[in-house]
Amino acid sequence: MTAVEDPAAAVDLPPAKEVGQARRRKEDARLITGKTTWTDNMVLPGMLHLAVLRSPVAHGRITHLDVSAAKERPNVVAVYTGADLAEEQGSLPCAWPVTPDMVNPGHPSIAVEQVNHVGEAVAVVVARSRTAAADALEAIDVDYEPLPVVLDMEQAVQEGSPLVHDSTSSNTSYHFVFDAGEAGTGTDTDQAFADADVTVSRRFVQQRLIPAFMEPRSVVVQPAGDNYTMWSATQIPHILRVMAAMVTGIPEHKLRVIAPDVGGGFGGKLQVNPEEILCLLIARRLGKPVKWTETRGESLMTAHHGRDQVQFIDVAADRDGTVRGLRVRLLADMGAYLRLITPGVPALGAFMFPGIYKFPAYRFECDGVFTNKVPTDAYRGAGRPEATFAIERIMDELAVELGMDPLELRRKNWIGAEEFPFTTVAGLEYDSGDYHQATEAALELLGYDELRAEQQRRRESGDPVQLGIGFSTFTEMCGLAPSRVLGSLAFGAGGWEQASIRMLPTGKVEVVTGSTPHGQGHETAWSQIVADQLGVPFEDVEVLHGDTAISSRGLDTYGSRSLVVGGTAVVKAAEKVVEKARVIAAHLLEANADDLEFTGGKFSVRGTPGAGVGIQEVALAIFAAHDYPEGIEPSIDAEATFDPENFSFPHGTHICAMEIDTETGFAKIRKYACVDDVGTIVNPLIVEGQVHGGLAQGIAQAMYEEAIYDAEGNLTTGSFVDYLVPAASDLPHFDTGNTVHAATSNPLGAKGVGEAGCIASTPAVVNAALDAVRHLGVTDIRMPLTPERVWRAIHAGGDGGDRAAEGSNAYGGARTTESGIEEAQQ
Amino acid sequence: MTQINVRVDGASYTDDVEPRTLLVHYLREQLGKVGTVVGCDTSNCGACTVHLDGQAVKSCTVFAVQADGCQVTTIEGVATGEGDGATLHPVQRAFHEMHGLQCGFCTPGMIMASIDLLKENPDPSDEEVREGIEGNLCRCTGYQNIVRAVRQAAAEMNGKAADDPQAEPAAVDTAAAEHVAVQA
């Protein structure tokens, strides 16, 4: 086959650039019609169902466990206890030993002798139907010898506290320190504090949150001889495969993991779950497919939680507002076990506490603490929301102490646009940005001056509804990567990502990415990137992901790394495809490859744009393989792995205007405006959607959500009745915008957007609430800002109490209706 | 076991079900209508919303036997026509156009609830949409684009109401107009 001159081609315009367009998503077609492939949809011949008996006690020894009656129940195939599986179950992995002497007691998928939190598995039933399995759980007879329950981090680290694990000498798993003076990136912190005019110290509580992805976790394992296929509602099929192979001893090449449609994750599905391992072990034993799908109650109780830190923050400054030093001491609740990246979450945050400010001195210390609660691990932002909250809250407190405008204090201390790249006191190199520009744009979007005037009027008139305005000017380290840096932080894996591109004979393109989406729109954004790179129509690109047999290598989706790292791998693969196609095109055109230019998907000899051959025609020619250059393999596929040199650093300014009814304590967001800089925007529609979703979760931390345990260690917020994931009526309209300063660490210029809204919004909301009522003597209000807490803070002084209603959400289980407030006040 | 007769998405079924079987499990497991999903066990999330004789219900709060003799419409029955030639319901189309979904798990229930909302209130304000769908939880979108989608669908559906000359399409802010871009 030879290339022919196409007279029409001479007048063809190159296709419009795809990157930057608000393309509607390819993913939507199946999702809006119900033609989806959630894991729980899977039905296989002979499939068995697994149900888990879970511990009702937070800490106890199993003294009696009799499953014989359950085995006799109709349609029950097998029942297993921890003792039955002890030999083969291994320990669930922790991939982030943040210090060399970190204590990890190990974590069995199913308890063998002792349970350490409510919800821990103690027995499993396998039956021919889901209901039969659930019914049989009731026939299991189990007794526990209770052990002292340790729930409060600050008590857990006291001398003489009962121990969560017999095998450890204290409840402290690790003590992690970053001292900028010692690291050589800053000066002596104690000296800085001694020399400063003003110091401000605060204790902040990052309440425990639940990621609460909408699709409950589900796993199906199908054995075939000594091969296993696992479908799982996971963010991390590649990591899961490696870890499951290591835990169970099933050789990695005998295990295929598939993440089909996955209904949200937010870090909550960045985990190797006990049930995934149990399904694998039991499918191996029985030689039959096994499925487990959790109930929402199981999910809230046993899927990992997030946040849960007590933060002690000290800031030192000169009288004119120039910051001199920052000290952070954290207690971070690990829960009962160290899960996949549990210890690393607060350590990751260590680098973000200085925020966007030029602190000359910084010291961070963190204790990871065991308690009898479900483990914590990654949740949207993982470490960075906690850090951003602390710095953005204490900058407001410093402003109050100095009598300065909070924005003026920030302006005085933030990194100037002309100072990039800037190496921070924590040792990170921020590559690009303009905090001033984003702030000015956000002020305009909010209508700042008018709202400040209204605030003044309300204050002067003693209006029962007061108005406050709160800021959060933030940055975050995104695009997790680079591998060398992750290695220096003792993370168990690198941060690279892989992609391959396969040109099909008809000119269509398959893109295989190691980054595994769960709602982020990879199929659309990756198609846009490839359409531009190869000059092919957007519709001609298909993106494949989430199956280790198709996408052989990858590190999956978390930490806003997909576009920054995975998208760049796609660009690199596309460059290789073009270069290989160029050689073949030159052969077909009987020209020198160096003389060819490639525009709009077409190779043509420089100076004669009319003649040429399209890359899609090259694909057919190389498939036929009748005539191709010597030394060239007959394909134009390519793969690439990208490992960036640096993180990326999105930033932004978020401003919240909040109304507080001083008579009821009811807080309501009046207006929310934010301007984020996420670097180059591939798809504005997706970027905006990611910001909205992040805002909802960050605002939820400030106002609604908290995982609460009672004194015995029972999760009292164990359903959506009392764990208040906000509904549409609970959230405001968001006014969003962008500034664009391309990242310099990747050729796309992308910085990552998934976590921005979640990281930035929480302190903006709390700062706004305090701004509304500070003149009434309120100095702090603990999150979430329930009406009762706000009311108590206004009327009783202080911060509204640590646990406003012990053992229950302070909304009294009611949603955020006006009528609910009266209940809360009683 | 109890025998029931139901029409689901236009087809008739006669089946034996356990009295305790919930409608959502009957739809998913016996009929293979897996577009309707289960998101919670307390009827809070709304992911399982279907229409029962034209009314939106959470199919986890209805026993399959209660649907005996009823018409059920699921997400798989709201588009008209079949296969590639199917015409999406305006609400489905609007969710796509306005980016009213991300992971998509809540989406079938959200669309079914929204269709019912527009039947009750053909021209809702933003606030009325937010109140109208508060029984359906979404963890991805922050709801703003869902509100836009429902408003856009209302506008389109009202525009088609040829028998009402007074009908005016509702004003809908577009994503582009609301999202401010500042170029460096």
Side-chain angles (χ1 to χ4, degrees):
Chain A
M1 188 174 175
T2 55
V4 288
E5 280 192 24
D6 176 7
V11 292
D12 273 355
L13 293 170
K17 204 165 173 330
E18 283 287 344
V19 167
Q21 287 197 47
R23 273 284 191 182
R24 269 55 180 170
R25 297 197 321 170
K26 290 183 168 182
E27 291 85 345
D28 294 354
R30 64 179 186 274
L31 299 170
I32 57 176
T33 54
K35 294 180 176 60
T36 39
T37 57
W38 312 113
T39 301
D40 190 47
N41 295 2
M42 292 287 303
V43 178
L44 296 168
M47 188 173 78
L48 302 173
H49 298 262
L50 183 130
V52 183
L53 183 73
R54 299 186 179 280
S55 171
V57 303
H59 203 198
R61 285 199 185 84
I62 301 167
T63 53
H64 171 78
L65 180 52
D66 181 358
V67 299
S68 54
K71 284 181 176 171
E72 302 306 314
R73 287 295 183 103
N75 291 313
V76 168
V77 174
V79 183
Y80 299 106
T81 67
D84 296 331
L85 300 170
E87 299 281 303
E88 59 198 277
Q89 70 163 314
S91 174
L92 291 165
C94 173
W96 205 332
V98 294
T99 61
D101 58 350
M102 183 183 86
V103 175
N104 181 4
H107 184 192
S109 290
I110 179 167
V112 180
E113 291 171 349
Q114 181 171 318
V115 291
N116 295 312
H117 66 81
V118 167
E120 193 165 354
V122 293
V124 290
V125 172
V126 189
R128 278 195 281 275
S129 76
R130 192 182 306 210
T131 46
D135 287 351
L137 293 181
E138 292 172 19
I140 297 174
D141 193 17
V142 53
D143 291 325
Y144 304 88
E145 175 199 339
L147 294 168
V149 176
V150 184
L151 296 171
D152 183 290
M153 281 180 270
E154 288 170 283
Q155 288 173 10
V157 295
Q158 298 297 318
E159 194 78 24
S161 168
L163 296 176
V164 174
H165 297 281
D166 294 341
S167 60
T168 64
S169 59
S170 79
N171 289 317
T172 303
S173 167
Y174 67 88
H175 183 70
F176 176 86
V177 178
F178 177 86
D179 189 304
E182 290 168 11
T185 51
T187 57
D188 182 85
T189 313
D190 290 338
Q191 193 61 48
F193 273 79
D195 294 345
D197 296 335
V198 177
T199 60
V200 175
S201 300
R202 287 289 184 276
R203 173 184 179 274
F204 296 130
V205 175
Q206 288 285 319
Q207 79 271 31
R208 181 173 271 250
L209 299 181
I210 306 181
F213 34 77
M214 289 311 299
E215 180 207 17
R217 291 173 300 164
S218 181
V219 56
V220 177
V221 175
Q222 183 177 41
D226 62 353
N227 283 271
Y228 299 87
T229 302
M230 176 191 285
W231 290 262
S232 184
T234 180
Q235 292 174 227
I236 53 163
H238 295 91
I239 295 171
L240 177 58
R241 182 200 198 194
V242 178
M243 293 295 161
M246 288 180 174
V247 170
T248 63
I250 292 171
E252 190 181 350
H253 62 301
K254 300 287 187 185
L255 177 60
R256 172 185 182 187
V257 177
I258 300 171
D261 283 324
V262 175
F266 317 113
K269 290 176 179 169
L270 200 189
Q271 193 54 267
V272 179
N273 291 295
E275 297 84 359
E276 287 165 330
I277 301 303
L278 290 169
C279 283
L280 202 48
L281 296 178
I282 292 165
R284 179 166 68 179
R285 280 205 175 195
L286 299 176
K288 292 258 179 91
V290 175
K291 178 199 265 189
W292 170 77
T293 299
E294 70 183 351
T295 64
R296 179 58 59 180
E298 280 182 292
S299 185
L300 295 172
M301 181 168 59
T302 69
H304 73 243
H305 294 172
R307 313 285 190 261
D308 211 357
Q309 297 180 354
V310 179
Q311 310 174 311
F312 301 90
I313 317 294
D314 308 319
V315 66
D318 289 344
R319 184 53 62 192
D320 71 356
T322 307
V323 293
R324 290 294 173 202
L326 179 67
R327 277 193 304 233
V328 178
R329 192 162 61 81
L330 290 189
L331 294 178
D333 196 333
M334 306 284 97
Y337 298 104
L338 302 182
R339 301 295 303 276
L340 192 60
I341 61 167
T342 299
V345 171
L348 193 60
F351 299 91
M352 283 325 325
F353 278 89
I356 62 170
Y357 308 113
K358 293 184 282 187
F359 281 98
Y362 171 51
R363 181 176 167 83
F364 172 91
E365 283 181 73
C366 171
D367 285 319
V369 183
F370 292 118
T371 61
N372 292 115
K373 291 182 277 189
V374 82
T376 53
D377 205 303
Y379 173 48
R380 205 165 191 171
R384 292 151 289 171
E386 298 92 321
T388 301
F389 180 86
I391 189 65
E392 288 304 297
R393 277 287 297 113
I394 204 150
M395 288 301 277
D396 265 31
E397 297 303 310
L398 178 62
V400 170
E401 182 68 27
L402 294 168
M404 280 180 80
D405 178 273
L407 204 48
E408 192 50 43
L409 178 68
R410 285 172 170 81
R411 284 191 182 109
K412 189 172 187 72
N413 288 293
W414 70 37
I415 299 154
E418 70 291 350
E419 295 178 85
F420 291 101
F422 184 91
T423 301
T424 75
V425 72
L428 299 172
E429 188 186 284
Y430 293 178
D431 59 343
S432 67
D434 187 335
Y435 306 136
H436 185 78
Q437 186 191 36
T439 303
E440 293 303 312
L443 288 168
E444 192 176 327
L445 209 50
L446 185 82
Y448 178 68
D449 294 337
E450 281 172 42
L451 284 167
R452 272 283 185 232
E454 181 185 331
Q455 178 186 40
Q456 194 59 32
R457 283 199 302 277
R458 284 182 188 270
R459 260 188 210 176
E460 284 165 3
S461 67
D463 194 316
V465 177
Q466 290 292 311
L467 183 68
I469 300 172
F471 298 98
S472 169
T473 50
F474 85 106
T475 190
E476 57 163 324
M477 56 199 283
C478 262
L480 298 185
S483 298
R484 280 184 295 277
V485 177
L486 294 180
S488 72
L489 295 172
F491 182 52
W496 50 265
E497 194 51 84
Q498 196 191 35
S500 59
I501 293 178
R502 311 194 289 232
M503 292 291 300
L504 304 179
T506 55
K508 308 293 185 192
V509 185
E510 282 180 342
V511 179
V512 184
T513 176
S515 176
T516 306
H518 38 285
Q520 295 91 342
H522 289 28
E523 291 168 32
T524 306
W526 276 219
S527 295
Q528 290 178 269
I529 293 167
V530 170
D532 278 359
Q533 293 287 321
L534 300 185
V536 300
F538 170 79
E539 295 78 9
D540 283 358
V541 184
E542 188 68 21
V543 179
L544 308 175
H545 55 75
D547 179 345
T548 59
I550 293 168
S551 164
S552 61
R553 294 203 302 148
L555 285 167
D556 306 315
T557 288
Y558 50 89
S560 291
R561 65 189 300 279
S562 288
L563 183 62
V564 176
V565 191
T568 301
V570 169
V571 171
K572 299 281 183 192
E575 286 169 353
K576 289 184 182 176
V577 163
V578 170
E579 285 321 297
K580 187 162 184 199
R582 180 190 303 277
V583 176
I584 299 160
H587 181 77
L588 297 173
L589 294 168
E590 295 178 354
N592 188 326
D594 295 337
D595 294 336
L596 293 190
E597 56 185 10
F598 181 65
T599 47
K602 187 171 171 181
F603 293 99
S604 53
V605 179
R606 206 167 277 115
T608 56
V613 59
I615 194 167
Q616 294 180 297
E617 296 170 78
V618 175
L620 184 57
I622 202 69
F623 167 74
H626 297 160
D627 179 22
Y628 58 96
E630 277 182 35
I632 288 285
E633 291 174 32
S635 73
I636 46 171
D637 305 343
E639 67 177 43
T641 304
F642 177 65
D643 193 359
E645 293 290 314
N646 193 4
F647 297 95
S648 58
F649 297 94
H651 73 82
T653 297
H654 289 229
I655 316 177
C656 177
M658 169 162 285
E659 288 176 5
I660 288 187
D661 186 329
T662 58
E663 292 175 351
T664 64
F666 189 76
K668 182 184 172 196
I669 294 178
R670 161 81 171 274
K671 205 159 182 203
Y672 195 98
C674 62
V675 172
D676 287 292
D677 197 317
V678 299
T680 305
I681 291 173
V682 170
N683 185 322
L685 205 62
I686 291 175
V687 163
E688 192 198 20
Q690 289 282 311
V691 170
H692 288 174
L695 290 175
Q697 290 182 28
I699 290 169
Q701 173 169 15
M703 298 183 67
Y704 304 113
E705 295 184 20
E706 177 169 24
I708 299 175
Y709 285 85
D710 69 12
E712 282 78 45
N714 296 299
L715 182 70
T716 60
T717 51
S719 77
F720 279 154
V721 176
D722 30 35
Y723 189 80
L724 298 182
V725 169
S729 50
D730 297 319
L731 291 171
H733 178 92
F734 308 122
D735 292 297
T736 58
N738 286 98
T739 58
V740 179
H741 293 82
T744 61
S745 56
N746 68 76
L748 279 170
K751 293 183 174 178
V753 65
E755 294 156 311
C758 191
I759 291 172
S761 58
T762 313
V765 172
V766 176
N767 280 339
L770 284 163
D771 188 53
V773 295
R774 196 181 286 278
H775 66 290
L776 303 174
V778 180
T779 55
D780 199 6
I781 311 174
R782 188 191 170 299
M783 296 186 290
L785 305 175
T786 59
E788 176 171 350
R789 283 215 183 96
V790 174
W791 189 90
R792 282 181 190 277
I794 294 168
H795 293 271
D799 64 3
D802 233 25
R803 295 276 157 145
E806 194 64 52
S808 72
N809 190 292
Y811 280 100
R815 285 226 163 257
T816 56
T817 56
E818 300 283 346
S819 61
I821 296 159
E822 287 171 25
E823 279 176 30
Q825 275 182 33
Q826 288 164 4
Chain B
M1 288 288 188
T2 306
Q3 192 176 75
I4 58 169
N5 294 289
V6 287
R7 262 184 93 73
V8 180
D9 298 336
S12 294
Y13 299 88
T14 301
D15 275 303
D16 290 329
V17 296
E18 274 193 85
R20 65 173 172 172
T21 302
L22 298 172
L23 179 58
V24 65
H25 291 132
Y26 170 68
L27 291 170
R28 283 180 58 81
E29 287 155 30
Q30 278 185 256
L31 303 191
K33 294 273 181 185
V34 292
T36 304
V37 294
V38 182
C40 73
D41 28 50
T42 49
S43 300
N44 284 84
C45 82
C48 65
T49 305
V50 300
H51 294 172
L52 185 66
D53 282 344
Q55 294 274 318
V57 296
K58 293 179 178 177
S59 59
C60 71
T61 60
V62 178
F63 289 115
V65 292
Q66 290 176 282
D68 184 31
C70 295
Q71 302 251 5
V72 177
T73 306
T74 77
I75 188 67
E76 289 156 71
V78 294
T80 52
E82 287 177 359
D84 287 347
T87 304
L88 295 175
H89 188 282
V91 171
Q92 285 176 304
R93 210 160 44 240
F95 268 69
H96 172 60
E97 286 292 317
M98 294 286 110
H99 189 34
L101 65 151
Q102 289 179 27
C103 82
F105 191 77
C106 75
T107 306
M110 199 64 88
I111 288 173
M112 299 311 285
S114 300
I115 291 172
D116 193 48
L117 165 67
L118 293 179
K119 217 183 297 170
E120 299 283 319
N121 181 355
D123 186 19
S125 65
D126 278 9
E127 203 178 336
E128 286 167 339
V129 174
R130 285 181 183 273
E131 283 171 13
I133 60 168
E134 69 182 353
N136 290 66
L137 297 177
C138 170
R139 193 60 160 166
C140 293
T141 62
Y143 301 106
Q144 187 152 317
N145 287 344
I146 293 176
V147 174
R148 283 177 183 152
V150 177
R151 294 286 305 275
Q152 166 162 299
E156 184 186 331
M157 289 161 77
N158 292 338
K160 280 187 179 168
D163 56 345
D164 180 6
Q166 301 300 312
E168 281 182 14
V172 175
D173 295 325
T174 64
E178 288 188 15
H179 190 79
V180 179
V182 183
Q183 290 298 326

